[in-house]
Amino acid sequence: MENQHSDINATVPELSLKGIPSTILRLGKHLADMKYQIDILGKNGWAELTANLHGLEPSGEWDGPDDALTFFSKIFPFAMLPAETEPLGVFNVPTERVISRSGQWWPDHLNGNSEAKLREHLNGPFAAEGTSWYFLPALGVLLAAQGQSRVNYCRQHHIPYITARISHLDYPPADRFRLYHVTRGATRQSWIVMNDRYLQQIHLPRITLPALTTYGVHSGSWPLTFPPVERIFDELHNPQPAENFIAPCVDLAAVKARMKAEKEMEKRAKKPVKMALSDMDITNIWPVNMTLSFFFLVALVAAGLTAGEGWMGGLSMLLCGMAGSLLLFIATPVFLVSKRHHRAYQPESVAPEALEEPETVTESPPTTPAA
């Protein structure tokens, strides 16, 4: 089988791995081997698997094996959607370097006739039809988008090369990343920041951290120029899509802009304004107002009936004056206090202009297009 494949497809060039360091080549092979082993374990369900590397949805439901790009994005942060990719052509690629998905069929699903047709197709001049794979030279690995199940067939039958249509897919260089290990209370997390702006949490540190170290990513101390760690912990509850990243992230520049806007609102809230006692958030101020209004009206009626004469008229005039003065004092804005003391005060929302995406200081990595 191997000899047949190599003879018939001898005219197809082999995908060049020249210039890729040996450590990166080992890393790429390790990733492809890991995906193959995970698919084997998850063949009959995900019960024997741990973490979230085999299509396990956040709800806990199993949705079949992950496709290659999803699997890759769970391990390597800031993996990008192949919105635009550069086609390279048709190549013979090393089977051991292809990350695929074995969800449609397995080799043992084939009968003698269907397997013979598959072998004929793999050895024929149109073997690349129905394939679309992405080559990441930065990691020495290929991601199968179409024509995925044949990868595991070739693995099980020890076929070293597969003919496929390849497109180039970039991954940012290691010097654009920085790892940070942070804690809040008893919680410890690892974060990675790209271009000193975009942040993603490392969800699989036992797998991702060694892989990133091999790739050349270095750790650092949390910079004072970044938002406080406590704030980022809160922001991670609601990460947002950004750029062409597959996974959502925290935009540190946007967080800093929101914090600045919040400080401005806090200053405006503290700025003193003229206010009456009736406007302030004072407990039981309305019963006091109603009581004073009652005495004012009763005294006013009594003063009118007695025409202000005699001791009853004098007392009613006195009560009327006192109650009226107190009501006027309560209703007149003579106090200079923070408007946060207003009984109807509500914190202002962040100004829309503060939520606009800040300009990117460092250019985002070039993306390669989708086939």
Side-chain angles (χ1 to χ4, degrees):
M1 177 70 183
E2 295 178 19
N3 294 333
Q4 288 180 329
H5 185 275
S6 58
D7 291 341
I8 295 178
N9 293 307
T11 58
V12 179
E14 184 178 329
L15 182 67
S16 175
L17 302 176
K18 186 178 179 180
I20 302 178
S22 59
T23 54
I24 298 299
L25 290 175
R26 286 195 297 271
L27 174 61
K29 180 180 182 305
H30 176 67
L31 291 173
D33 290 343
M34 183 195 307
K35 181 64 164 73
Y36 175 65
Q37 293 163 6
I38 287 174
D39 281 2
I40 292 290
L41 284 174
K43 186 176 178 182
N44 298 317
W46 59 271
E48 296 183 44
L49 301 173
T50 58
N52 185 19
L53 284 172
H54 197 67
L56 188 62
E57 298 297 318
S59 61
E61 298 177 356
W62 182 69
D63 193 33
D66 281 332
D67 61 84
L69 195 57
T70 301
F71 175 83
F72 177 78
S73 68
K74 288 179 177 180
I75 296 175
F76 274 85
F78 299 107
M80 292 192 173
L81 290 168
E84 298 180 353
T85 56
E86 177 186 347
L88 296 178
V90 175
F91 293 90
N92 285 327
V93 302
T95 304
E96 64 183 9
R97 299 198 169 276
V98 184
I99 297 177
S100 68
R101 173 181 181 172
S102 300
Q104 187 175 4
W105 56 267
W106 280 85
D108 52 0
H109 293 159
L110 300 173
N111 56 35
N113 186 44
S114 58
E115 185 172 1
K117 289 183 178 180
L118 175 63
R119 287 199 305 266
E120 182 181 354
H121 175 71
L122 293 177
N123 290 311
F126 305 107
E129 286 189 359
T131 62
S132 176
W133 297 358
Y134 302 112
F135 176 47
L136 285 81
L139 290 159
V141 73
L142 295 103
L143 307 178
Q146 297 178 15
Q148 304 173 79
S149 296
R150 68 185 65 187
V151 177
N152 284 355
Y153 176 86
C154 292
R155 272 183 171 270
Q156 290 193 10
H157 289 79
H158 307 290
I159 301 173
Y161 289 92
I162 309 175
T163 304
R165 183 170 287 104
I166 307 301
S167 297
H168 183 275
L169 185 62
D170 274 330
Y171 187 73
D175 59 7
R176 299 176 75 171
F177 297 126
R178 184 71 68 178
L179 272 169
Y180 300 99
H181 307 290
V182 297
T183 57
R184 182 171 73 169
T187 303
R188 177 178 173 82
Q189 292 183 357
S190 294
W191 300 339
I192 185 165
V193 176
M194 176 181 172
N195 294 338
D196 287 334
R197 175 171 178 179
Y198 298 107
L199 179 146
Q200 287 185 354
Q201 181 184 348
I202 303 297
H203 293 286
L204 301 164
R206 292 186 178 181
I207 299 174
T208 300
L209 293 181
L212 291 175
T213 300
T214 302
Y215 187 55
V217 179
H218 299 289
S219 300
S221 300
W222 189 254
L224 296 176
T225 54
F226 286 177
V229 168
E230 291 75 13
R231 177 64 180 250
I232 302 301
F233 268 96
D234 295 334
E235 294 284 342
L236 282 171
H237 290 295
N238 187 31
Q240 300 295 320
E243 301 291 325
N244 290 323
F245 305 139
I246 295 175
C249 62
V250 174
D251 186 344
L252 299 180
V255 174
K256 290 172 71 173
R258 286 196 296 270
M259 291 177 65
K260 183 178 179 181
E262 290 166 2
K263 286 183 179 179
E264 290 298 323
M265 290 188 296
E266 184 72 13
K267 287 181 181 179
R268 290 198 296 270
K270 290 180 179 179
K271 187 177 180 180
V273 294
K274 288 184 178 180
M275 200 179 300
L277 281 175
S278 57
D279 296 325
M280 296 183 192
D281 187 17
I282 300 175
T283 305
N284 296 328
I285 189 67
W286 284 110
V288 173
N289 280 339
M290 296 301 295
T291 302
L292 288 174
S293 299
F294 172 76
F295 279 110
F296 175 75
L297 291 175
V298 170
L300 187 62
V301 170
L305 292 175
T306 60
E309 296 179 356
W311 68 268
M312 180 65 74
L315 180 60
S316 61
M317 290 291 289
L318 177 62
L319 290 175
C320 184
M322 291 175 61
S325 299
L326 289 173
L327 285 173
L328 183 63
F329 176 72
I330 290 175
T332 304
V334 294
F335 297 95
L336 198 62
V337 295
S338 168
K339 64 180 180 181
R340 290 183 302 176
H341 295 302
H342 197 285
R343 54 187 171 82
Y345 172 75
Q346 291 182 349
E348 300 178 33
S349 58
V350 179
E353 57 270 17
L355 295 177
E356 293 180 359
E357 184 172 345
E359 296 183 3
T360 306
V361 178
T362 308
E363 292 185 359
S364 339
T367 54
T368 41

